[in-house]
Amino acid sequence: MSPLFRVVLSEVPAHLAGVGSGVLATMQQTSLGFGVATLGSFFLSESPSSQLGELDAAVAVLGVLVAVALVVAVSTRTLPGGTTA
């Protein structure tokens, strides 16, 4: 289990652990699907020759991915119990 999942599920009572884990996994998969759809749509809308072009659209999508990764990395520092061994 990843440290982030451990922190998120730490407040779930033991008798609801299955429900909490299921909701977390469902949200993770849904978010991944929406992320792929959103970035794919962004790439396809910007890649025609009248817009950025394929290479520049790919670089723009990569920039968005890096920005989101940085936001997530910084925001995880504010979670309770953020230190791991």
Side-chain angles (χ1 to χ4, degrees):
M1 181 186 317
S2 75
L4 180 59
F5 278 21
R6 189 173 298 123
V7 169
V8 170
L9 293 175
S10 67
E11 298 296 320
V12 177
H15 69 281
L16 295 175
V19 174
S21 177
V23 168
L24 181 61
T26 300
M27 290 305 299
Q28 180 188 31
Q29 294 297 317
T30 303
S31 298
L32 288 170
F34 280 137
V36 168
T38 302
L39 290 174
S41 296
F42 175 66
F43 174 78
L44 289 175
S45 69
E46 297 300 322
S47 63
S49 59
S50 62
Q51 298 290 327
L52 293 177
E54 290 180 4
L55 181 61
D56 291 334
V59 169
V61 168
L62 219 73
V64 170
L65 285 172
V66 168
V68 169
L70 288 173
V71 167
V72 169
V74 168
S75 64
T76 56
R77 295 292 185 180
T78 64
L79 291 173
T83 60
T84 58

